Amino acid sequence: MEARIRARVTLALTLFALLFFVSRSSPPRQFVISDAKRRIDLSSHIINVHLTLKVENAGTRPASEVVLALTPTEVDHLAMVDALAIKGKRKKTTSVRLEVKPTELPDAPPIDAKYFTIYLANPLNSGESTTLEVLYVFTHFLEPFPEEIAQSESQLVFYHDTALILSPYHIKQQTTFIKTPSTKVESFIRVEPTNRVGTEIKYGPYEDRPPYSISPIHVHFENNSPFAVVEELVQEIEISHWGNIQVTEHYTVVHAGARHKGVFSRVDYQSRQFSNGASSFRHLLARLPPRVHSVYYRDEIGNISSSHLRTNSLKNGRRSIALCVLNARCIDYSIANVVSSFMIMHLHLNVAFAIIPVEASRSWKLSHVILYLEVVLPEGSTDPSPVVPFPVEHRLEAKYSSLDVVGRTVVVLEKKIFVPMHNSHFQSQTLELKILEIGFDENNHLRCLSFVDSLPDTIVPAKIFSLLMLSRQTHIKTIYQLCRMLFLHRWCLVERATFFNLVSFNLPPLWQVYYTFKPIFMLAEPLMLASAFFMFFVACVAYIHIDLSIRK
Amino acid sequence: MAAPETSTAAVPTLYTNNTLRNAFGGVLSFFILLLIGVLAFSIRLFSVIKYESVIHEFDPYFNYRVTQFLTKKGIYEFWNWFDDRTWYPLGRVIGGTVYPGLTLTAGTIWWLLNSLNIPLSVETVCVFTAPIFSAFASWATYLLTKEVKGAGAGLTAAVLLAMVPSYISRSVAGSYDNEAVAIFALIFTFYLYLKTLNTGSLFYATLNSLAYFYMVCSWGGYTFIINLIPMHVLLCIVTGRYSSRLYIAYAPLVVLGTLLAALVPVVGFNAVMTSEHFASFLVFIIIHVVAFVYYIKGILSPKMFKVAVTLVVTVGMAVCCAVIAVLIALVASSPTKGWSGRSLSLLDPTYASKYIPIIASVSEHQPPTWPSYFMDINVLAFLVPAGIIACFLPLSDASSFIVLYIATSVYFSGVMVRLMLVLAPAACITSGIALSEAFDVLTRSIKFQLPGVTSNAEVDAGETSSDTSEAQTDELKAEKPDDTSKNRPSKKSKKKERELAENPPAKATAKAKAKAEKKRLLALPLEASVISLLLLVVLGAFYVVHSVWAAAEAYSAPSIVLTTRSRDGLHVFDDFREAYAWLSHNTDVNDKVASWWDYGYQTTAMANRTVIVDNNTWNNTHIATVGTAMSSPERAAWEIFHSLDVKYVLVVFGGLIGYPSDDINKFLWMVRIGGGVFPHIKEPDYLRDGQYRIDSQATPTMLNCLMYKLSYYRFVETDGKAFDRVRRTEIGKKYFKLTHFEEVFTTHHWMVRIYKLKPLKNRIRGKAKKSKSKTSSTSSSKRSGTKKKNPWHENERRREVCYSNNCSDSFSAFLSSKPEIEFDYAGYVR
């Protein structure tokens, strides 16, 4: 509560400050935004803001750095920001991803705003214009109000924003669309012209607004989507060069929406599902890679009833395993602070060194407050270096398991505020690879796959060695790579048709860890086993030959 | 048996042949033992395979929690652990009231594995402790039986024990309870006792007292050892079998064992002060007197000896009388005459049901029925008499011990179902002896009569008597020679020599004669022996099938998870853990949860919340208070709970899915136990014409009590009729409201329902308003306030009185109840 008030006060102060300093501000005035469209999607607790900016260089010199401004509260909840440059017109548009970096403006007005700079691929000459698409993703931005609701009530939330886009540039024309999940809107502030049709509230168009102009609004509306938040996800990937990859995931799941108050009635909850506990999450879903085995799942005290392991066949006969987790757990209904740590383990993929399934699809959007990815490298591996598509913190740890002597290196990657879009926003990237060999096993599974090694590492950091290749000793390098291939079925769409052909497909973003590993260390495990048997044999022989009787 | 004869009489070539055979036998029996261990371990894994790797039932959860504490905080913290999560507001000194053997064992295993960099969780170690120790137990059985009747009988007994259903029921994976370890300790202690008795070695005597110490650490059942061994010693003395070996076997055990036992905090001075141990001290004195007499006898001439005897007897009688008088006075001064309630109920089976309803309420404290014998030891029940007969042919010190063991354990198992567990090893040993002897006789008679073997029959005759070849497991059907290991003949011969020195040679010749006679007698007709051999194999096969069935179907259910097979596969009822998880996530850490004591251990272990009573039923009054609250009307119950600072009340309700061991079925015990301390609760009030019912014929007291209301609150809304699937009837009172409690959680299948006590504040405000509007004096509300507390204060005094003479016995080991009826799936339709 207090935090909220403080946040509001800060926001208000910020806005006042902004208003106050509007006239004095002097950011790089080279650009003018001729048209700005903002679409805010409030249908879940992860807020997507699509900003389409038509940027015009009004200065004299060519410039390539477009600055975006955000309020500090927004920045606190910002999960990610991404920008695309749109080229071409109408149907023939192509988009190019642009680099976005947080910056400090040295000549910025002393107002409370944080800045991001978009680096255009080609400098914009004087008088030219280009279209930019910016995606912001915010989490934990909707405030439930009231904070506690009874079982039969639906969840109402507040959304705070400004009707005018905060920008260091002059905006000639701007419109904001706010999309609410349902038509039930308790209240919203009008800043004329404002129009509400169905689930959409339209602010604008507003003409010719100076830089840093704002106009605070709030929308109080019904949002019954479950606010599923993974407070902490620790995903441990243990690699064995004998062909096993063991993935263990520990989830701490919380409902971040309004808390439950008073009586919980099972009768009502089960018989009247729509009016009761509408915002509770009744189940979560985890998709596992197709070839997992030995799956287990449990919560802290071993509860499993809430979960089912389903094997459903997809289009092309490939089986994927869906794990429905936390079904019953969440009945404690929307709101109660349900914390549950959860482990999923899936094992074994025949493709030697693959797979980091960092969350990809749950039934709904799950946002992660913090995500730890622990890659446990086999004993004896050295020089680990992670390559991740977005900035993360990383550190090294050591782990001892199964009779280890020197310990295993663990690369811990830590990412704060992780949202599903982190997995998807790279998909527009198209890669072209030449497939050399493809093999199938009897279950129509992709068995081996190899690529021409000539692709530049910057584009395709992942080389997927097949077992076949491995046995031929052709591609064994000292560098083994991890690549992320959560949905292998996407690959199989192209397998047959494009045998020996150049194919293009979308590749999900790759989290990789490069490390050096001498294959000789692979012998450590069988040696240990062999020596254990040998010891046993020696013991047997000793037992037979040595007189163990207690005689003088 | 005849090995020494062959070793002396046989030609050198034969001798080398024999050593080779012995070595081969040794290796073979080693591998058989290994397989027995694997069998014992793996037959107990059904629970993990069918369910999951989970701690079972009630007591194991407490043990698990203690183990977690031990591994986290270390041993010193553990000894000093005062647990404020149970028995609120009294608490419990865990370190001083728990048998630490199991916990320390599992903790040590865990520590060892972790220091070897094998990271296993404490839970995994706890789950698999019981199967590991049952493998140990079967090896100990082999050793014990080998001391009695040779290796063949030992192997048979080990196989039988590896899969005896009675022991399986207490040692499946996940059943992390004292008994799992204690049975091993029991058998091993007996083995070491017999070993000492056979060898007279002080080394084994010391080991014996260490094993006894481990047993004392592990289980309250150690009193069985400390009474059985003195009985055997006394038997030996009375039957004139006193020897210096007997003295060495017994005296160090009493001295060292008692000292070591006193080191265990939960036993402490009980080791010398309670009457369970008096028998051992008495026999200790007697054996010294006897030893002294034998010594004197050796020194004096027979005439002088007679004089000395009369002298000593007169003086000794006087002294003994004085000592006994003092002892009796001491014993009589203690309230329960020095005997704990549990032990008294052993001696007098009706004691518990007469005086302690808590003991009587546990199903496993009831006397067993005949089917339960068949269920738990199966064909062994028929083999035991044969084994006892075999023990008498010839009767040795060791075999007389086995006879005594089986006799006493049969008696005790007749008193209490639980003690079937003590009977099981004895039954296995005797049956092992019986089977082995039978196979011995039958195979020998076949061997004698087979053509071609007769030529060297003479040579074999001496040897085969030790060659107790028998079909090991019945699947194997492998005949294999006895493993008279190398050191064995020499020891035997030593013993024989000693015996020869002691006994007049005439006796030895008589023995040899008898043996020869026996040999002649034992040659049965070929057909008969083949057929009876087959029959024995069939009998064994039946036993194996039954054991596997029992392990897979009857005893593997963890009772915390229930499953049923429906059309679309396995359906799991995990409501208990769902409820406990809810408690741990959604309530404050310091909230107190009241439930019937069965669920106390689980609540503290899984939900980590403070409970009022738990399965360690050390305080009768406290349990009676909860029982009273459950059987009181809502208002009175609210007051009792509020006075105990309870925030949540948890009830188990099986009416929706047909889970029979729910609180409504246990309710009469709550009434009885509550009424035992608080007389205003009367059992007849809850019964209509002596019948317990919850339908429309039920008494108003029943329909208004808290347990009924909490169980059936809004139950009618599920199907419109409120049909209880356990009691198979519609409930009596369908529509009612709760005024002092509110439903906060009900699990998916309604098995656990949690209610919250409505806070005091609101109620007072309402009252105050009312009184103001009435313009009556405020004293009325005040009076109501004091009135409200009064019934409890009255009880307070009574409670204090009762605290002083509560049955202070720690029932922790004894009070894990296994629902006798298995879960009824039929009622559940979905």
Side-chain angles (χ1 to χ4, degrees), chain A residues 283-314:
Chain A
H283 67 279
L284 299 174
L285 190 79
R287 277 187 220 290
L288 305 181
R291 269 170 293 169
V292 298
H293 66 76
S294 312
V295 181
Y296 79 78
Y297 43 93
R298 60 196 299 274
D299 76 350
E300 270 173 323
I301 55 170
N303 188 338
I304 51 154
S305 69
S306 47
S307 311
H308 304 280
L309 186 71
R310 288 199 303 265
T311 316
N312 46 351
S313 48
L314 294 175

Short mmCIF file of all heavy atoms in Angstrom, two decimals, chain A residues 283-314:
data_model
loop_
_atom_site.label_atom_id
_atom_site.label_comp_id
_atom_site.label_asym_id
_atom_site.label_seq_id
_atom_site.Cartn_x
_atom_site.Cartn_y
_atom_site.Cartn_z
N HIS A 283 -4.79 -24.02 -13.78
CA HIS A 283 -3.70 -24.91 -14.14
C HIS A 283 -2.63 -24.15 -14.91
O HIS A 283 -2.88 -23.11 -15.49
CB HIS A 283 -4.19 -26.09 -14.96
CG HIS A 283 -4.69 -25.69 -16.31
ND1 HIS A 283 -5.95 -25.19 -16.50
CD2 HIS A 283 -4.09 -25.69 -17.51
CE1 HIS A 283 -6.11 -24.91 -17.79
NE2 HIS A 283 -5.00 -25.19 -18.41
N LEU A 284 -1.47 -24.70 -14.88
CA LEU A 284 -0.37 -24.19 -15.69
C LEU A 284 0.07 -25.32 -16.59
O LEU A 284 -0.17 -26.49 -16.31
CB LEU A 284 0.80 -23.77 -14.81
CG LEU A 284 0.54 -22.67 -13.81
CD1 LEU A 284 1.77 -22.49 -12.95
CD2 LEU A 284 0.24 -21.38 -14.53
N LEU A 285 0.71 -24.98 -17.63
CA LEU A 285 1.10 -26.01 -18.57
C LEU A 285 2.56 -25.83 -18.93
O LEU A 285 3.01 -24.73 -19.19
CB LEU A 285 0.25 -25.88 -19.82
CG LEU A 285 0.35 -27.00 -20.82
CD1 LEU A 285 -0.48 -28.17 -20.34
CD2 LEU A 285 -0.14 -26.55 -22.16
N ALA A 286 3.27 -26.89 -18.90
CA ALA A 286 4.66 -26.83 -19.35
C ALA A 286 4.83 -27.81 -20.49
O ALA A 286 4.42 -28.94 -20.40
CB ALA A 286 5.59 -27.20 -18.21
N ARG A 287 5.39 -27.33 -21.54
CA ARG A 287 5.66 -28.24 -22.66
C ARG A 287 7.10 -28.71 -22.54
O ARG A 287 8.00 -27.94 -22.31
CB ARG A 287 5.48 -27.52 -23.97
CG ARG A 287 4.07 -27.49 -24.41
CD ARG A 287 3.97 -26.91 -25.80
NE ARG A 287 2.82 -26.03 -25.89
CZ ARG A 287 1.57 -26.46 -25.87
NH1 ARG A 287 1.31 -27.74 -25.77
NH2 ARG A 287 0.57 -25.61 -25.94
N LEU A 288 7.25 -29.97 -22.73
CA LEU A 288 8.58 -30.54 -22.63
C LEU A 288 9.06 -30.91 -24.03
O LEU A 288 8.25 -31.13 -24.91
CB LEU A 288 8.55 -31.77 -21.74
CG LEU A 288 7.95 -31.55 -20.36
CD1 LEU A 288 7.99 -32.83 -19.57
CD2 LEU A 288 8.72 -30.49 -19.62
N PRO A 289 10.33 -30.99 -24.19
CA PRO A 289 10.85 -31.38 -25.50
C PRO A 289 10.36 -32.77 -25.88
O PRO A 289 10.03 -33.57 -25.00
CB PRO A 289 12.36 -31.38 -25.30
CG PRO A 289 12.59 -30.54 -24.11
CD PRO A 289 11.40 -30.66 -23.26
N PRO A 290 10.31 -33.06 -27.15
CA PRO A 290 9.67 -34.30 -27.60
C PRO A 290 10.31 -35.57 -27.05
O PRO A 290 9.63 -36.52 -26.82
CB PRO A 290 9.82 -34.25 -29.11
CG PRO A 290 10.12 -32.86 -29.43
CD PRO A 290 10.77 -32.24 -28.26
N ARG A 291 11.59 -35.56 -26.89
CA ARG A 291 12.19 -36.85 -26.57
C ARG A 291 12.62 -36.95 -25.12
O ARG A 291 13.59 -37.62 -24.81
CB ARG A 291 13.35 -37.12 -27.52
CG ARG A 291 12.88 -37.88 -28.73
CD ARG A 291 13.95 -37.94 -29.76
NE ARG A 291 14.22 -36.63 -30.32
CZ ARG A 291 15.26 -36.38 -31.10
NH1 ARG A 291 16.10 -37.32 -31.37
NH2 ARG A 291 15.44 -35.17 -31.59
N VAL A 292 11.91 -36.36 -24.26
CA VAL A 292 12.28 -36.48 -22.85
C VAL A 292 11.85 -37.85 -22.33
O VAL A 292 10.96 -38.48 -22.85
CB VAL A 292 11.60 -35.41 -21.98
CG1 VAL A 292 12.01 -34.05 -22.40
CG2 VAL A 292 10.11 -35.57 -22.01
N HIS A 293 12.52 -38.28 -21.32
CA HIS A 293 12.05 -39.45 -20.58
C HIS A 293 12.39 -39.25 -19.13
O HIS A 293 13.06 -38.29 -18.75
CB HIS A 293 12.63 -40.74 -21.14
CG HIS A 293 14.12 -40.87 -20.96
ND1 HIS A 293 14.69 -41.19 -19.75
CD2 HIS A 293 15.14 -40.68 -21.83
CE1 HIS A 293 15.99 -41.22 -19.90
NE2 HIS A 293 16.30 -40.90 -21.14
N SER A 294 11.93 -40.15 -18.31
CA SER A 294 12.14 -40.07 -16.87
C SER A 294 11.73 -38.71 -16.31
O SER A 294 12.52 -38.04 -15.66
CB SER A 294 13.59 -40.34 -16.49
OG SER A 294 14.06 -41.48 -17.13
N VAL A 295 10.52 -38.36 -16.57
CA VAL A 295 10.05 -37.07 -16.08
C VAL A 295 9.52 -37.24 -14.67
O VAL A 295 8.82 -38.21 -14.38
CB VAL A 295 8.91 -36.55 -16.98
CG1 VAL A 295 8.44 -35.20 -16.50
CG2 VAL A 295 9.37 -36.48 -18.40
N TYR A 296 9.87 -36.37 -13.81
CA TYR A 296 9.18 -36.34 -12.52
C TYR A 296 8.83 -34.92 -12.16
O TYR A 296 9.42 -33.97 -12.66
CB TYR A 296 9.99 -37.02 -11.43
CG TYR A 296 11.12 -36.22 -10.82
CD1 TYR A 296 10.86 -35.21 -9.88
CD2 TYR A 296 12.43 -36.48 -11.16
CE1 TYR A 296 11.90 -34.48 -9.32
CE2 TYR A 296 13.46 -35.76 -10.61
CZ TYR A 296 13.20 -34.76 -9.69
OH TYR A 296 14.21 -34.06 -9.14
N TYR A 297 7.84 -34.79 -11.30
CA TYR A 297 7.40 -33.47 -10.92
C TYR A 297 6.79 -33.56 -9.55
O TYR A 297 6.07 -34.49 -9.24
CB TYR A 297 6.37 -32.93 -11.93
CG TYR A 297 5.35 -33.96 -12.34
CD1 TYR A 297 4.14 -34.07 -11.68
CD2 TYR A 297 5.65 -34.84 -13.37
CE1 TYR A 297 3.24 -35.04 -12.04
CE2 TYR A 297 4.76 -35.81 -13.73
CZ TYR A 297 3.55 -35.90 -13.07
OH TYR A 297 2.67 -36.87 -13.42
N ARG A 298 7.08 -32.65 -8.75
CA ARG A 298 6.56 -32.67 -7.38
C ARG A 298 6.73 -31.29 -6.78
O ARG A 298 7.48 -30.48 -7.28
CB ARG A 298 7.34 -33.68 -6.54
CG ARG A 298 8.82 -33.37 -6.46
CD ARG A 298 9.60 -34.54 -5.97
NE ARG A 298 9.19 -34.91 -4.64
CZ ARG A 298 9.66 -34.38 -3.53
NH1 ARG A 298 10.58 -33.46 -3.60
NH2 ARG A 298 9.25 -34.77 -2.36
N ASP A 299 6.00 -31.04 -5.73
CA ASP A 299 6.24 -29.79 -5.03
C ASP A 299 7.08 -30.09 -3.79
O ASP A 299 7.53 -31.20 -3.60
CB ASP A 299 4.94 -29.06 -4.73
CG ASP A 299 4.19 -29.68 -3.58
OD1 ASP A 299 4.59 -30.76 -3.15
OD2 ASP A 299 3.22 -29.08 -3.11
N GLU A 300 7.26 -29.09 -2.98
CA GLU A 300 8.13 -29.22 -1.81
C GLU A 300 7.89 -30.49 -1.02
O GLU A 300 8.81 -31.15 -0.60
CB GLU A 300 7.85 -28.04 -0.87
CG GLU A 300 8.67 -26.84 -1.10
CD GLU A 300 8.17 -25.72 -0.23
OE1 GLU A 300 6.95 -25.60 -0.03
OE2 GLU A 300 9.00 -24.98 0.25
N ILE A 301 6.61 -30.78 -0.74
CA ILE A 301 6.33 -31.93 0.11
C ILE A 301 5.90 -33.11 -0.72
O ILE A 301 5.41 -34.08 -0.22
CB ILE A 301 5.27 -31.59 1.16
CG1 ILE A 301 4.01 -31.05 0.49
CG2 ILE A 301 5.81 -30.62 2.17
CD1 ILE A 301 2.86 -30.94 1.45
N GLY A 302 6.09 -33.02 -2.01
CA GLY A 302 5.88 -34.20 -2.83
C GLY A 302 4.50 -34.32 -3.45
O GLY A 302 4.15 -35.36 -3.95
N ASN A 303 3.74 -33.27 -3.43
CA ASN A 303 2.40 -33.36 -4.00
C ASN A 303 2.48 -33.53 -5.51
O ASN A 303 3.15 -32.78 -6.19
CB ASN A 303 1.63 -32.08 -3.67
CG ASN A 303 0.19 -32.18 -4.07
OD1 ASN A 303 -0.17 -32.98 -4.91
ND2 ASN A 303 -0.63 -31.38 -3.45
N ILE A 304 1.78 -34.53 -6.00
CA ILE A 304 1.80 -34.73 -7.44
C ILE A 304 0.42 -34.74 -8.03
O ILE A 304 0.24 -34.64 -9.22
CB ILE A 304 2.46 -36.06 -7.81
CG1 ILE A 304 1.83 -37.18 -7.01
CG2 ILE A 304 3.94 -36.00 -7.59
CD1 ILE A 304 1.94 -38.49 -7.68
N SER A 305 -0.57 -34.88 -7.19
CA SER A 305 -1.91 -35.12 -7.71
C SER A 305 -2.33 -33.98 -8.61
O SER A 305 -3.11 -34.13 -9.52
CB SER A 305 -2.89 -35.20 -6.59
OG SER A 305 -3.02 -33.93 -6.02
N SER A 306 -1.77 -32.82 -8.33
CA SER A 306 -2.20 -31.66 -9.07
C SER A 306 -1.68 -31.69 -10.49
O SER A 306 -2.05 -30.88 -11.30
CB SER A 306 -1.70 -30.42 -8.35
OG SER A 306 -0.35 -30.60 -8.03
N SER A 307 -0.82 -32.61 -10.79
CA SER A 307 -0.18 -32.57 -12.09
C SER A 307 -0.44 -33.84 -12.88
O SER A 307 -0.63 -34.90 -12.34
CB SER A 307 1.32 -32.41 -11.93
OG SER A 307 1.58 -31.38 -11.04
N HIS A 308 -0.47 -33.66 -14.15
CA HIS A 308 -0.62 -34.82 -15.03
C HIS A 308 0.43 -34.72 -16.11
O HIS A 308 0.71 -33.64 -16.61
CB HIS A 308 -1.99 -34.83 -15.69
CG HIS A 308 -3.10 -34.79 -14.71
ND1 HIS A 308 -3.52 -35.90 -14.03
CD2 HIS A 308 -3.86 -33.76 -14.28
CE1 HIS A 308 -4.50 -35.55 -13.22
NE2 HIS A 308 -4.72 -34.26 -13.35
N LEU A 309 0.94 -35.84 -16.48
CA LEU A 309 1.86 -35.88 -17.60
C LEU A 309 1.06 -36.41 -18.78
O LEU A 309 0.55 -37.51 -18.73
CB LEU A 309 3.02 -36.79 -17.28
CG LEU A 309 4.12 -36.82 -18.31
CD1 LEU A 309 4.86 -35.52 -18.30
CD2 LEU A 309 5.07 -37.95 -18.02
N ARG A 310 0.94 -35.59 -19.78
CA ARG A 310 0.16 -36.03 -20.93
C ARG A 310 1.08 -36.19 -22.12
O ARG A 310 2.01 -35.44 -22.32
CB ARG A 310 -0.90 -35.00 -21.28
CG ARG A 310 -2.04 -34.94 -20.32
CD ARG A 310 -3.20 -34.25 -21.00
NE ARG A 310 -2.82 -32.95 -21.47
CZ ARG A 310 -3.03 -31.83 -20.79
NH1 ARG A 310 -3.58 -31.88 -19.61
NH2 ARG A 310 -2.70 -30.67 -21.29
N THR A 311 0.78 -37.15 -22.91
CA THR A 311 1.55 -37.32 -24.14
C THR A 311 0.56 -37.14 -25.27
O THR A 311 -0.30 -37.97 -25.49
CB THR A 311 2.16 -38.72 -24.20
OG1 THR A 311 2.69 -39.01 -22.92
CG2 THR A 311 3.22 -38.78 -25.24
N ASN A 312 0.65 -36.04 -25.94
CA ASN A 312 -0.29 -35.85 -27.03
C ASN A 312 0.47 -35.79 -28.34
O ASN A 312 1.53 -35.19 -28.46
CB ASN A 312 -1.13 -34.59 -26.82
CG ASN A 312 -0.29 -33.43 -26.40
OD1 ASN A 312 0.89 -33.60 -26.11
ND2 ASN A 312 -0.87 -32.26 -26.36
N SER A 313 -0.11 -36.40 -29.31
CA SER A 313 0.60 -36.46 -30.58
C SER A 313 0.27 -35.22 -31.40
O SER A 313 -0.85 -34.74 -31.41
CB SER A 313 0.18 -37.71 -31.34
OG SER A 313 -1.21 -37.81 -31.34
N LEU A 314 1.25 -34.75 -32.05
CA LEU A 314 1.04 -33.56 -32.88
C LEU A 314 0.83 -34.00 -34.32
O LEU A 314 0.74 -35.18 -34.64
CB LEU A 314 2.23 -32.63 -32.75
CG LEU A 314 2.37 -32.05 -31.34
CD1 LEU A 314 3.63 -31.24 -31.25
CD2 LEU A 314 1.17 -31.21 -31.01
#
